[in-house]
């Protein structure tokens, strides 16, 4: 068989650096030209292939196979070669699988008198004869030929019957354990049979390299072999060694990995070679201090938007020394960009639209010129010839109006979405509960039976082929619905919305949360456990610890209960970093779900789509009446605005959000920055005026014990008081009216008694004519009703949590962080 070209030589396809290393580590098995079965003579081949397990139970079918086998051997026997494999290759049939290989064989059989000229049945039996030779390992056609040919058929069932029954049975069992459809599993088994036919041996002999060779052949034939599910099927069946890549997606040609500075610049086809080399050298010089995403942006800005644009409008330009008219024209062109085809085709849409990040690109070009000027003083031979006056003046890239407009737009966006956030969260929760109820009801129903759940009446679909997914159809429209997928999407949409709005973390930080991110802190004196969420360094390379509230803890517990395996552990998944273009090591990520047989991470684009779908289901609209849109970063801005508006000092919000500059944090808050800064400064001044200067010292043991005792003294009959340390009760212990009272669900009966007492006292006051007393009691009654609604909501949430079997937080935390004890 002709060896396949290496991946780098396939036009338009290139493996990433990581994939190339793995490709060299796991090479495919070489295609042999001689082995025992292919060297047998005709009599030995017939004797072996007509003996068990090859014969069929049906005598007529077996006679057709026997005749077809004899005719194929006749045709191959006339070809040159010492083995049947050499004769097969010499026939030329293996070279072109798109053509019907049976045509030349039939012509030879007719010319040699083996079959009469008017015979029309030979084409049907030749395929069955060749199938026996392939399954008997007498010949091994090439992978490309097997993927493209139409005959023989039923390769996988015959391989499972005569070559490796145990191996193919293990694949079938592994496929039933996953969520893939019957058709997907069947196609994957067919591809495994192709590898066995082309390489010989059994299923357990297949290597990672064999699978990669099949994928590359599928890309080349553009017919079959593109689905990677067969790799996951083999991986789940335990075919590969322990060091095998956990997912075949690591070899996907669309995942290009990191490009070198040369490759980044060469994407723009720069005509002037010296300038191209200069840009490559500049990127290489800046590369150690930049992350890969920034490096790509630098190549895009300098290579395409700057120099390629100059070449397009000034052909033959070869110097960085730009004339005033050339620089002015470029600065004018950079202000706009070509509209997307969909926008340009719409009625009245302009061909160009304003560019939103003009200041950044102007700063980029200015830094390019200034860097070269500085480096020219340090290394004149290398950088001196390119030193030139910078065409970007300091006043060109201020763009204060642009920044003010962007701040105003984002503030308005936040102000518009902050009030409707509870509605979105409630809609996501109802969607999750509704889809779970429909899925549970469908599982309990028989195929073809009607069922009603969450306000909808559906009929469970009758599947022609078995599958693990639950399908239902609308009795009126007959539209089919995948209830399994609906429930999965609704759950992860709810989980993403709840975590984003409760923590204010970035979308990439959400997808990188793992089981190790759950941390506990134990208070030394009381032993109270405080749950924390560890955020790994991401955009600003700053880690941080966030306190997990009860609601967020419930969500994390639900996630862990969902993703844990049968052994109680969180599966390890390999995630692709879209910013750095590298594969991360397998981690117990929280946001993962089962796709077929593979646990895959839920990527950023999926989270965006789920949030968008949840918003569409809520039916929210903006001030103009148009559908309201949410992006994951909106939750971060809303979190900052809500926290600061409710009294959190800006510098604390800065630490929670992970900003390097407090101005960035204040930019997230949708109010005037002067108001927040002045208010915070006034707060600090008042605090220092009220506290004696001697308090700013190291506390004594008694003072520290008194501080810790404050939290014990906050315990009340109805729950806990949340007032700050050193503050007195401002409402004379009228706790029912206080917003800082956090009700204990176990004390709901006591709160109900208080409400009943208030009703009785109001009735008495009305009866006796105590109007003032009645008005005060009605205020307390309204507060009691509000507290009852809050505790009922909390009880309902916890009731749902228990029904899902979620563990307590001490059971789910990844590890415990406690302060070290001083030696005795």
């Amino acid at each position: 068989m002709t060896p396949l070209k290496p991946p780098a030589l396939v036009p338009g396809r290139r493996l990433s650096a990581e994939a190339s290393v793995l490709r060299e580590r796991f090479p495919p098995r070489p295609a042999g030209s001689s082995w025992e079965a292919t060297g047998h003579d005709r009599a030995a081949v017939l004797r072996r292939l007509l003996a068990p397990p090859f014969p069929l139970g049906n005598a007529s079918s077996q006679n057709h196979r026997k005749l077809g086998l004899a005719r194929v051997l006749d045709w191959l026997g006339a070809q040159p070669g010492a083995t049947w494999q050499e004769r097969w290759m010499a026939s030329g049939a293996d070279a072109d699988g798109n053509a019907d290989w049976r045509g030349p064989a039939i012509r030879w059989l007719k010319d040699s008198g083996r079959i009469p000229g008017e015979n029309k049945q030979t084409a049907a039996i030749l395929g069955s004869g060749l199938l026996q030779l392939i399954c008997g390992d007498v010949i091994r056609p090439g992978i490309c030929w097997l993927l493209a040919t139409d005959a023989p058929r039923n390769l996988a069932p015959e391989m499972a019957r005569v070559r490796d029954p145990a191996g193919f049975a293990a694949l079938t069992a592994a496929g039933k354990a996953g969520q893939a459809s019957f058709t997907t599993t069947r196609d994957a088994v067919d591809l495994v049979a192709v590898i066995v036919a082309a390489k010989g041996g059994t299923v357990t002999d297949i290597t990672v390299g064999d699978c990669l060779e099949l994928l590359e052949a599928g890309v080349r034939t553009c017919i079959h072999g593109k689905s990677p599910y067969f790799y996951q099927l083999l991986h789940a069946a335990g075919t590969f060694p322990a060091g095998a890549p956990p997912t075949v997606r690591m070899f996907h040609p669309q995942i290009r990995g990191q490009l070198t500075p040369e490759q980044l610049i060469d994407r723009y086809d720069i005509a002037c070679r010296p300038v191209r080399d200069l840009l490559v050298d500049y990127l290489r010089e800046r590369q150690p201090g930049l992350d890969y995403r920034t490096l790509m942006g630098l190549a895009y800005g300098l290579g395409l938007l700057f120099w390629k644009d100059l070449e397009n409008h000034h052909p033959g330009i070869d110097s960085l020394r730009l004339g005033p008219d050339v620089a002015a024209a470029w600065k004018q062109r950079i202000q706009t960009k070509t509209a997307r085809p969909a926008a340009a085709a719409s009625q009245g849409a302009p061909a160009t639209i304003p560019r939103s990040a003009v200041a950044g690109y102007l700063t980029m070009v200015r830094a390019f010129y200034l860097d070269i000027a500085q480096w020219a003083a340090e290394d004149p031979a290398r950088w001196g010839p390119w030193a030139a006056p910078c065409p970007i003046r300091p006043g060109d890239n201020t763009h204060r109006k642009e920044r003010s407009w962007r701040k105003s737009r984002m503030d308005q966006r936040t102000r518009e979405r902050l009030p409707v956030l509870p509605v979105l969260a409630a809609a996501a929760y109802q969607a999750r509960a509704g889809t779970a109820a429909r899925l549970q009801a469908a599982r309990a129903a028989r195929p073809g039976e009607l069922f009603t759940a969450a306000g909808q009446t559906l009929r469970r679909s009758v599947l022609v082929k078995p599958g693990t997914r639950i399908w239902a159809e609308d009795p009126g429209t007959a539209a089919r619905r995948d209830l399994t997928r609906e429930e999965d999407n609704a759950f992860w949409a709810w989980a993403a919305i709840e975590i984003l709005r409760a923590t204010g973390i970035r979308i990439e930080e959400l997808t990188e949360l793992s089981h190790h991110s759950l941390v506990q802190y134990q208070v030394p004196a009381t032993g109270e456990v405080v749950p924390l969420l560890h955020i790994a360094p991401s955009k600003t390379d700053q880690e941080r610890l966030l306190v997990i509230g009860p609601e967020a803890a419930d969500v994390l517990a639900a996630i862990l209960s969902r993703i844990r395996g049968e052994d109680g552990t969180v599966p390890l998944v390999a995630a692709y970093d879209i910013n750095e273009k590298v594969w991360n090591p397998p981690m117990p990520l929280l946001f993962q779900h089962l796709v077929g047989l593979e646990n895959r991470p839920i990527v950023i684009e999926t989270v965006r789509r789920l949030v968008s779908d949840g918003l569409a289901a809520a039916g929210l609209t903006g001030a103009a009446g148009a559908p309201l849109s949410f992006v994951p970063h909106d939750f971060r801005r809303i979190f900052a605005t809500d926290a600061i508006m409710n009294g959190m000092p800006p510098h604390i919000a800065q630490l929670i959000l992970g900003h390097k500059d407090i101005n960035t944090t204040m930019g997230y808050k949708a109010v005037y920055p002067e108001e927040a800064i002045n208010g915070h400064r006034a707060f600090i001044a008042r605090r220092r005026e009220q506290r004696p200067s001697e308090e700013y010292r190291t506390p004594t043991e008694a003072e520290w014990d008194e501080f810790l005792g404050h939290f014990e003294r906050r315990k009340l009959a109805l729950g806990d008081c949340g007032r700050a340390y050193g503050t007195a009760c401002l409402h004379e212990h009228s706790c029912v009216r206080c917003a800082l009272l956090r009700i204990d669900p176990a004390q709901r009966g006591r709160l109900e008694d208080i409400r009943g007492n208030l009703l009785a006292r109001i009735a008495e006051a009305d009866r006796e004519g105590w109007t003032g007393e009645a008005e005060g009691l009605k205020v307390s009654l309204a507060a009691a009703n509000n507290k009852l609604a809050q505790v009922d909501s909390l009880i309902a949430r916890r009731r749902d949590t228990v029904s899902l079997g979620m563990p307590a937080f001490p059971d789910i935390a990844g590890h415990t962080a406690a302060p070290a004890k001083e030696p005795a």
Side-chain angles (χ1 to χ4, degrees), residues 77 95 146 224 258 262 302 315 663 754 786 798 808:
L146 288 167
H224 300 293
Q258 291 189 356
E262 292 86 349
L302 297 178
N663 291 324
I754 293 175
N786 186 31
R798 293 188 176 181

Side-chain angles (χ1 to χ4, degrees), residues 670-741:
V671 294
Y672 295 106
E674 293 83 358
E675 175 188 351
I677 295 174
N678 294 336
H680 185 215
R681 288 176 175 174
F683 163 75
I684 295 176
R686 289 194 305 269
R687 182 183 63 187
R688 290 184 175 176
E689 289 175 358
Q690 294 173 0
R691 293 185 180 180
S693 59
E694 59 268 14
E695 288 191 5
Y696 291 90
R697 55 176 173 78
T698 304
T700 64
E701 291 293 333
E703 291 171 337
W704 183 248
D705 291 340
E706 194 277 335
F707 172 76
L708 294 179
H710 158 79
F711 300 98
E712 295 294 331
R713 291 191 295 274
R714 292 193 307 180
K715 296 187 179 298
L716 305 171
L718 292 176
D720 294 320
C721 176
R723 69 177 185 271
Y725 173 74
T727 59
C729 182
L730 300 180
H731 45 66
E732 298 180 355
H733 299 283
S734 180
C735 298
V736 173
R737 296 186 182 185
C738 182
L740 297 178
L741 173 63

Side-chain angles (χ1 to χ4, degrees), residues 555-762:
V555 178
L556 293 172
I559 292 174
L560 285 172
S561 298
R562 186 181 186 89
I563 65 176
R564 272 180 169 150
E566 296 180 356
D567 57 354
T569 61
V570 177
L572 301 179
V573 294
Y576 183 70
D577 191 331
I578 62 172
N579 293 317
E580 291 300 318
K581 306 297 181 185
V582 295
W583 284 92
N584 295 325
M587 293 281 292
L589 298 180
L590 297 183
F591 277 75
Q592 60 168 283
H593 59 168
L594 189 64
V595 179
L597 288 172
E598 179 187 4
N599 287 294
R600 292 189 181 181
I602 299 178
V603 297
I604 292 176
E605 288 303 322
T606 300
V607 174
R608 289 197 179 103
R609 177 179 56 81
L610 293 177
V611 172
S612 178
D613 292 346
L615 187 68
L620 299 176
T621 58
L628 199 63
S629 63
F630 261 86
V631 296
H633 210 73
D634 287 329
F635 296 99
R636 184 168 171 82
R637 294 182 178 273
I638 291 173
F639 177 86
T641 300
D642 187 60
I644 297 178
M645 287 179 59
N646 285 277
M648 178 180 288
H651 67 282
I652 300 300
Q654 174 192 356
L655 296 177
I656 293 177
L657 294 174
H659 290 150
K660 288 184 177 181
D661 189 354
I662 195 172
N663 291 324
T664 305
T665 305
M666 297 311 301
Y668 276 32
K669 186 176 184 293
V671 294
Y672 295 106
E674 293 83 358
E675 175 188 351
I677 295 174
N678 294 336
H680 185 215
R681 288 176 175 174
F683 163 75
I684 295 176
R686 289 194 305 269
R687 182 183 63 187
R688 290 184 175 176
E689 289 175 358
Q690 294 173 0
R691 293 185 180 180
S693 59
E694 59 268 14
E695 288 191 5
Y696 291 90
R697 55 176 173 78
T698 304
T700 64
E701 291 293 333
E703 291 171 337
W704 183 248
D705 291 340
E706 194 277 335
F707 172 76
L708 294 179
H710 158 79
F711 300 98
E712 295 294 331
R713 291 191 295 274
R714 292 193 307 180
K715 296 187 179 298
L716 305 171
L718 292 176
D720 294 320
C721 176
R723 69 177 185 271
Y725 173 74
T727 59
C729 182
L730 300 180
H731 45 66
E732 298 180 355
H733 299 283
S734 180
C735 298
V736 173
R737 296 186 182 185
C738 182
L740 297 178
L741 173 63
R742 188 172 188 86
I743 299 293
D744 183 358
Q747 302 301 324
R748 188 189 185 284
R750 185 186 297 273
L751 185 60
E752 187 70 33
D753 293 340
I754 293 175
R755 179 177 178 276
N757 180 265
L758 288 172
L759 290 172
R761 292 177 61 189
I762 291 173

Side-chain angles (χ1 to χ4, degrees), residues 399-551:
H399 290 274
R400 296 177 181 175
K401 185 177 180 180
E402 176 188 335
R403 290 195 294 267
S404 299
W405 176 82
R406 182 169 60 249
K407 175 67 168 65
S408 175
R409 179 172 58 87
M410 297 311 300
D411 285 354
Q412 178 60 24
R413 183 181 180 91
T414 301
R415 284 190 291 265
E416 193 174 22
R417 283 153 182 76
L418 179 58
V420 302
L421 182 58
V423 180
L424 174 61
Y429 178 79
Q430 293 173 1
R432 172 212 171 193
T435 53
R438 285 190 288 272
L439 180 60
Q440 183 177 1
R443 283 175 174 160
R446 294 187 299 272
E449 182 181 1
L450 291 173
F451 64 91
T452 302
Q456 296 183 9
T457 300
L458 302 172
R459 177 183 290 107
R460 180 168 180 177
S461 300
V462 179
L463 301 180
V464 178
K465 299 174 183 178
T468 57
R469 293 183 176 274
I470 304 298
W471 291 79
E473 33 186 69
D474 191 317
T477 63
R480 295 186 66 193
R481 296 168 55 179
D482 187 349
L483 299 185
T484 305
R485 182 179 294 276
E486 288 183 5
E487 189 276 337
D488 188 69
N489 290 343
F491 176 87
W492 290 114
W494 166 79
I497 291 173
E498 289 294 328
I499 295 298
L500 287 173
R501 79 185 188 105
T503 61
I505 60 178
R506 302 179 180 91
I507 178 63
E508 60 267 21
E509 294 170 342
L510 175 78
T511 57
E512 292 173 359
L513 289 179
S514 71
H515 197 198
H516 302 312
S517 301
L518 305 178
V519 187
Q520 289 181 349
Y521 174 79
Q522 188 172 9
V523 180
T526 63
E528 180 184 2
V529 175
V530 179
L532 302 175
L533 188 65
H534 175 256
I535 306 299
S538 60
K539 183 178 180 180
T540 58
D541 292 332
Q542 290 182 352
E543 67 172 359
R544 57 194 192 276
L545 290 172
L546 308 180
V547 177
I548 301 177
E551 293 81 5

